[in-house]
Amino acid sequence: MQKLHLVMGGRVKDPQGLEFVDLTAVDMVGVFPNYASAEEAWRAAAQRTVDDAEMRYVIVHLHRLLEPHLPAV
């Protein structure tokens, strides 16, 4: 089974949270076929903004949203 992952990020209201300031400005890095490639893209995106505490990138497990009945293994 393909386990899709979305990498995205943007400016957040609080560096401890995930509420984005402007959803129209969210950076959609891409969709990846596995966690390893998503993590590599996430690290690259996060590294570009390492000095900006209000910028945050995340990995979203799309496969868990698309097929929630499957185990999280």
Side-chain angles (χ1 to χ4, degrees):
M1 180 184 99
Q2 194 174 41
K3 293 190 175 182
L4 299 175
H5 295 80
L6 167 67
V7 177
M8 59 182 246
R11 189 163 303 284
V12 291
K13 291 183 178 181
D14 175 7
Q16 300 296 317
L18 278 176
E19 186 176 349
F20 293 102
V21 172
D22 181 4
L23 290 178
T24 63
V26 169
D27 177 18
M28 298 292 182
V29 177
V31 176
F32 300 87
N34 54 55
Y35 186 81
S37 59
E39 183 179 28
E40 186 177 325
W42 168 80
R43 286 186 188 282
Q47 185 63 37
R48 286 193 306 269
T49 60
V50 71
D51 293 329
D52 188 347
E54 293 178 344
M55 289 296 288
R56 185 150 185 205
Y57 281 84
V58 296
I59 299 174
V60 180
H61 299 266
L62 290 179
H63 59 95
R64 291 184 188 164
L65 297 173
L66 296 171
E67 300 184 272
H69 61 283
L70 294 177
V73 181

